[in-house]
Amino acid sequence: MVVLVTGANGQLGQSLQYVATKYPELQFVFCSSSELDITNLEKIASVFSKIQPNFCINAAAYTAVDKAESEPEKAYLINATGAKNVAEVCKEYNTILLHVSTDFVFDGNKQTPYNEEDLPNPTGIYGKTKLEGEIEIQKIWANHFIVRTSWVYSQFGNNFMKTMLRLASERDIISVVNDQIGTPTNAVDLAEGLIKIITEHLKLNTEHFYGIYNFSHEGQCSWYDFAKKIFEINNININLLPIPTSSFPTPAKRPSFSVLDKSKIKKVFGIEINNWEESLRNQSE
């Protein structure tokens, strides 16, 4: 079974490379954005023609949430048109598509975890373009798994955990918002979850299970709680101050609550999900 991964140099792409060796039954082909530009339909078709993948994990995305507000065309091109292009070529080659989406498709006004049936209502360009990508995929190609995740971090790429560790080496005081609630997700665990969908699909032939799924860790916290735990696990003493979102204005409005309900993915694929604190601790060992 050949699994093509787009966005190989991104955080999730690198995490997939990190875990891929544990699955000798799958042949992974990793393509960076320069090797496979998802905004170029002909380029995707050319790569698919050579590789003939059974599965495609689309890990390519425009993820600069604030920058998207000033670069909407670029965000739309990658997250919406790019997803549409990948879906069209997957359909042509009968390739099962696993596409990664985000909690930012929601407005954050709910007080209980979001499930897959909840109505999206993104508040920023990033969330809007990711939702548009989901819609395009659903219109074009039935054989897809759209996996929404949240607050992704890892030892790879740029992310909140690495930013906090860097800032701790540069400053004595750090202020972090404490009124946005969500769940951190280790990209390596997300990578394992995506591969589990593939291996279970091959075992169970879960064709009638195509659709949208949530994957993040268990539990919930604020960004302040997340930072506090990062410093605690890494034995870093720093003056960490909780602040409201209003004290830290950003170009893009974040959901104030974006915890995801994981019941569906656990039930369908038997995926076991760690608590976010446990996964963060494992990451630091």
Side-chain angles (χ1 to χ4, degrees):
M1 287 285 129
V2 178
V3 182
L4 171 65
V5 178
T6 69
N9 290 344
Q11 182 174 197
L12 178 56
Q14 290 183 71
S15 298
L16 282 159
Q17 292 184 62
Y18 180 72
V19 301
T21 52
K22 297 198 302 197
Y23 301 91
E25 72 275 24
L26 300 174
Q27 181 190 336
F28 286 87
V29 178
F30 293 94
C31 291
S32 66
S33 57
S34 59
E35 294 162 326
L36 195 164
D37 177 0
I38 65 169
T39 68
N40 185 328
L41 189 61
E42 289 179 5
K43 182 69 175 175
I44 305 170
S46 167
V47 172
F48 269 64
S49 169
K50 286 183 202 139
I51 295 169
Q52 302 281 326
N54 304 95
F55 295 86
C56 173
I57 299 177
N58 184 29
Y62 181 105
T63 58
V65 176
D66 287 321
K67 211 173 174 188
E69 297 297 314
S70 57
E71 291 186 339
E73 296 86 2
K74 188 175 180 184
Y76 188 91
L77 184 62
I78 296 168
N79 291 342
T81 306
K84 177 175 182 275
N85 290 343
V86 173
E88 285 180 356
V89 180
C90 280
K91 183 177 183 180
E92 185 183 342
Y93 285 86
N94 197 29
T95 301
I96 295 165
L97 173 59
L98 286 80
H99 176 76
V100 182
S101 193
T102 174
D103 57 326
F104 276 60
V105 299
F106 298 115
D107 57 21
N109 293 334
K110 206 180 171 198
Q111 298 303 312
T112 54
Y114 283 95
N115 63 42
E116 291 82 356
E117 305 303 317
D118 283 319
L119 205 61
N121 184 31
T123 58
I125 298 296
Y126 168 66
K128 286 174 182 171
T129 59
K130 289 297 287 183
L131 177 60
E132 189 63 34
E134 290 185 10
I135 292 166
E136 292 289 356
I137 289 166
Q138 290 172 90
K139 281 196 296 196
I140 292 163
W141 182 222
N143 296 7
H144 66 259
F145 299 102
I146 292 169
V147 180
R148 292 173 178 157
T149 191
S150 66
W151 295 23
V152 180
Y153 73 93
S154 68
Q155 66 264 50
F156 308 109
N158 298 313
N159 56 71
F160 181 81
M161 180 188 75
K162 289 173 78 172
T163 298
M164 287 298 108
L165 293 173
R166 176 178 58 78
L167 289 177
S169 69
E170 299 169 356
R171 303 181 185 177
D172 298 322
I173 301 173
I174 298 176
S175 299
V176 180
V177 296
N178 70 337
D179 56 357
Q180 293 172 25
I181 306 299
T183 310
T185 305
N186 190 316
V188 171
D189 292 333
L190 173 58
E192 294 270 17
L194 292 168
I195 296 171
K196 175 86 170 176
I197 290 174
I198 292 173
T199 57
E200 287 300 302
H201 179 82
L202 291 170
K203 266 194 271 179
L204 306 172
N205 192 20
T206 53
E207 282 184 23
H208 55 298
F209 293 132
Y210 289 131
I212 297 174
Y213 291 84
N214 293 335
F215 182 98
S216 64
H217 285 302
E218 298 287 16
Q220 63 184 58
C221 65
S222 69
W223 288 107
Y224 169 80
D225 299 326
F226 187 17
K228 190 176 175 186
K229 188 58 70 174
I230 290 166
F231 297 137
E232 180 188 307
I233 288 171
N234 287 279
N235 298 311
I236 294 169
N237 285 319
I238 190 152
N239 190 358
L240 183 65
L241 303 177
I243 57 168
T245 298
S246 56
S247 296
F248 189 71
T250 54
K253 183 180 183 293
R254 267 81 170 157
S256 57
F257 181 89
S258 63
V259 178
L260 300 173
D261 182 320
K262 278 75 68 173
S263 306
K264 183 180 174 186
I265 201 167
K266 290 192 287 188
K267 183 180 176 186
V268 173
F269 298 105
I271 291 174
E272 294 179 10
I273 300 177
N274 285 344
N275 183 276
W276 72 268
E277 293 166 292
E278 183 185 351
S279 204
L280 181 62
R281 197 169 280 110
N282 293 342
Q283 157 77 48
S284 303
E285 286 175 355

